[in-house]
Amino acid sequence: MHPSSRTRLFLRGTFILTAVSLLTRVIGFFYRIFLSRAFGAESVGLYQLIFPVYALCISLSSAGIQTALSRIVARHMSLKNPTRANLALKTALFFSMILALFCTFAVQIFAPFLSESFLKETRCIPLLKVMAYSFPFASAHACICGYYIGLKQTRIPAVSQLLEQTFRVSCVYILYMAAVRQSEETGILIAVCGLVFGEIVSSFYCIFAVRKAFHKEKQFKKHTASVYAECFFELFSHSFFLTANRIALNLLQSIEVISIPQALVRYGLSSSAALSHYGILNGIALPCILFPSAVTNSVSVMMLPTVAEIQAASQKRTLVSMIRKVSASCLFLGLVCTAGFLVTANFLGNTIFQSPGASSYIRTLAFICPFLYTNSTYISILNGLGQTTSTFLINVTGLSIRIAGVFFLIPRFGMTGYLMGMLFSQLYVFFCCILKLKRSL
């Protein structure tokens, strides 16, 4: 592909994903305000507590497969082999769905054990059981989006993302208002129902869209078992380390998330206060800081197939030039956001969320913006280059620094210690990625 055509596709895809991501984050911004006011900080903290299990199951069933599929599709399309790209999607859907169903049954059966022994909170049992129904739909959604990202066609992934967020929020609001009208007590379980419903709607849209596209292009052809076996081994070889990477990272993140409330108790807070502080951090402050990353996340999504395609074409100079431009843009955005959050922290925490604690968290987290936004792009570039082992080691070490902050800094300095650990972690990942990219290129 000509560099100018590639650049246009990259920019168009990034623009579409960014526009939709910003819109969904605006919806999510007001949704979190609604959750915090309707259910309280403690319930929001309880809701956030189930997400390590959710992320772990998604990592096992679809996250690594989605990334691998994008790279495989981009490579085959670069080599003018669309049939193998389509077969890769069918193989990924089949393999991912089996893993997703396994996760659903496992969480349903072991929800009491996970809540009591892993999350240390028995109130999570019904939340986990309802959440488990989302895995098969999330797998279909992820695989089809990964396929279209590999093609650098972002319309369907963008629309599915918007549908998922819109129907999730609408479902929660309708259920909440219905319960209020009937004078019934409402619980945070409503938010989990919205999560499942949003995944159902987005997955059905993706399935309908891809079936229509395949039917139009007459791609439903019969192939021999050996061809499917080749596709399976190709997918497995690309996704195995990515999936292992995601699982290991999510296990470490789970340890981190679960240990934060316990470390705050050792600092001197009550169990209820610790859960409230955790809810403010993960439910209010971090989403604010991550809001501008809609831009850099879109860039990182588009970088993976673009890097894979440029690498397949052996255009090293083009690749280096693109990485330099993207790095400078992400760092500039991060610096602007740091200044913006420092100025608006009080307004966001006190006026918008009516939470004074959120103001101090936002102000401290503002300093990680340049590194946080750039790191996601660097990791995507390294994955596009096939450097999955390096990204695994960098991410694991960075998370280990954060976990050290949980165990050693929170009991002494409170939540400030954790925020310090996050800053050191992002700095470490940033400089490691730069060194690895310099060596690779």
Side-chain angles (χ1 to χ4, degrees), residues 24 42 50 159 173 184 223 238-239 250 262 279 300 328-329 336 345 351 361 370 387 426 433-434:
T24 56
E42 185 177 356
I50 67 171
V159 173
Y173 181 75
E184 293 181 2
H223 298 276
H238 280 80
S239 65
N250 277 298
Q262 297 171 22
S300 65
S329 300
V336 170
T351 306
Y361 293 161
Q387 300 284 344
Q426 292 297 330
C433 286
I434 288 177

Side-chain angles (χ1 to χ4, degrees), residues 185-362:
E185 185 179 350
T186 59
I188 199 65
L189 183 64
I190 289 175
V192 185
C193 294
L195 172 72
V196 176
F197 187 66
E199 287 292 355
I200 291 172
V201 172
S202 61
S203 66
F204 273 101
Y205 166 77
C206 287
I207 291 168
F208 174 78
V210 79
R211 279 185 61 86
K212 184 178 179 182
F214 272 43
H215 211 61
K216 184 178 180 181
E217 297 172 12
K218 298 180 180 180
Q219 294 292 350
F220 286 118
K221 299 176 182 179
K222 291 185 178 180
H223 298 276
T224 63
S226 61
V227 175
Y228 280 107
E230 287 177 14
C231 288
F232 172 77
F233 284 116
E234 182 182 29
L235 179 70
F236 181 80
S237 64
H238 280 80
S239 65
F240 178 78
F241 287 107
L242 285 168
T243 301
N245 186 346
R246 294 294 186 99
I247 291 173
L249 291 176
N250 277 298
L251 283 172
L252 289 173
Q253 286 172 340
S254 300
I255 294 170
E256 175 192 27
V257 166
I258 294 161
S259 301
I260 289 173
Q262 297 171 22
L264 287 171
V265 170
R266 292 199 299 274
Y267 175 66
L269 299 179
S270 67
S271 179
S272 177
L275 204 58
S276 295
H277 277 270
Y278 174 70
I280 292 169
L281 174 68
N282 263 31
I284 298 175
L286 271 175
C288 281
I289 295 298
L290 292 172
F291 185 87
S293 69
V295 179
T296 54
N297 285 348
S298 300
V299 171
S300 65
V301 167
M302 292 301 298
M303 281 299 287
L304 192 148
T306 304
V307 167
E309 180 187 330
I310 296 173
Q311 187 185 39
S314 300
Q315 297 174 344
K316 184 178 178 181
R317 186 174 295 178
T318 302
L319 182 58
V320 171
S321 175
M322 176 173 279
I323 290 173
R324 285 176 176 169
K325 291 175 182 177
V326 168
S327 299
S329 300
C330 291
L331 281 170
F332 177 75
L333 175 65
L335 290 170
V336 170
C337 290
T338 295
F341 283 125
L342 288 174
V343 172
T344 60
N346 286 332
F347 172 75
L348 290 170
N350 297 332
T351 306
I352 300 297
F353 289 103
Q354 299 180 357
S355 173
S359 300
S360 61
Y361 293 161
I362 292 170

Side-chain angles (χ1 to χ4, degrees), residues 6-226:
R6 186 185 294 119
T7 302
R8 282 197 299 270
L9 272 175
F10 178 84
L11 292 175
R12 185 175 64 184
T14 302
F15 174 78
I16 293 172
L17 287 176
T18 301
V20 172
S21 185
L22 285 172
L23 180 57
T24 56
R25 290 185 186 221
V26 169
I27 297 171
F29 181 77
F30 290 105
Y31 178 56
R32 289 178 186 278
I33 295 173
F34 167 74
L35 287 181
S36 63
R37 294 183 179 180
F39 302 104
E42 185 177 356
S43 292
V44 173
L46 197 67
Y47 174 60
Q48 293 294 329
L49 207 57
I50 67 171
F51 278 93
V53 178
Y54 178 82
L56 185 61
C57 292
I58 293 296
S59 297
L60 175 62
S61 61
S62 61
I65 294 173
Q66 178 186 9
T67 304
L69 181 61
S70 292
R71 192 169 190 273
I72 291 168
V73 169
R75 189 169 69 86
H76 282 305
M77 294 304 292
S78 178
L79 299 173
K80 311 298 182 185
N81 193 359
T83 302
R84 285 300 293 268
N86 295 333
L87 281 174
L89 171 61
K90 295 179 187 179
T91 307
L93 281 169
F94 177 76
F95 188 42
S96 179
M97 195 60 65
I98 291 174
L99 293 173
L101 290 171
F102 168 78
C103 290
T104 297
F105 289 122
V107 171
Q108 287 284 335
I109 294 169
F110 295 107
F113 170 77
L114 290 170
S115 298
E116 293 169 11
S117 303
F118 188 55
L119 302 179
K120 308 294 184 183
E121 181 57 74
T122 55
R123 288 178 291 175
C124 289
I125 294 174
L127 306 185
L128 288 174
K129 288 187 173 182
V130 173
M131 177 196 71
Y133 292 110
S134 68
F135 299 145
F137 303 102
S139 289
H141 179 198
C143 288
I144 295 170
C145 287
Y147 170 77
Y148 278 106
I149 292 298
L151 296 176
K152 290 192 271 189
Q153 297 176 13
T154 53
R155 183 178 62 85
I156 288 171
V159 173
S160 68
Q161 181 186 357
L162 184 59
L163 286 174
E164 190 273 331
Q165 181 77 309
T166 303
F167 278 88
R168 176 200 295 196
V169 174
S170 300
C171 175
V172 173
Y173 181 75
I174 291 169
L175 289 175
Y176 176 79
M177 294 306 296
V180 168
R181 288 195 187 100
Q182 295 178 15
S183 301
E184 293 181 2
E185 185 179 350
T186 59
I188 199 65
L189 183 64
I190 289 175
V192 185
C193 294
L195 172 72
V196 176
F197 187 66
E199 287 292 355
I200 291 172
V201 172
S202 61
S203 66
F204 273 101
Y205 166 77
C206 287
I207 291 168
F208 174 78
V210 79
R211 279 185 61 86
K212 184 178 179 182
F214 272 43
H215 211 61
K216 184 178 180 181
E217 297 172 12
K218 298 180 180 180
Q219 294 292 350
F220 286 118
K221 299 176 182 179
K222 291 185 178 180
H223 298 276
T224 63
S226 61

Side-chain angles (χ1 to χ4, degrees), residues 422-440:
M422 284 189 70
L423 178 59
F424 292 140
S425 171
Q426 292 297 330
L427 281 167
Y428 169 83
V429 172
F430 178 77
F431 287 111
C432 282
C433 286
I434 288 177
L435 289 173
K436 186 61 187 175
L437 283 170
K438 282 188 174 182
R439 290 174 184 171
S440 300

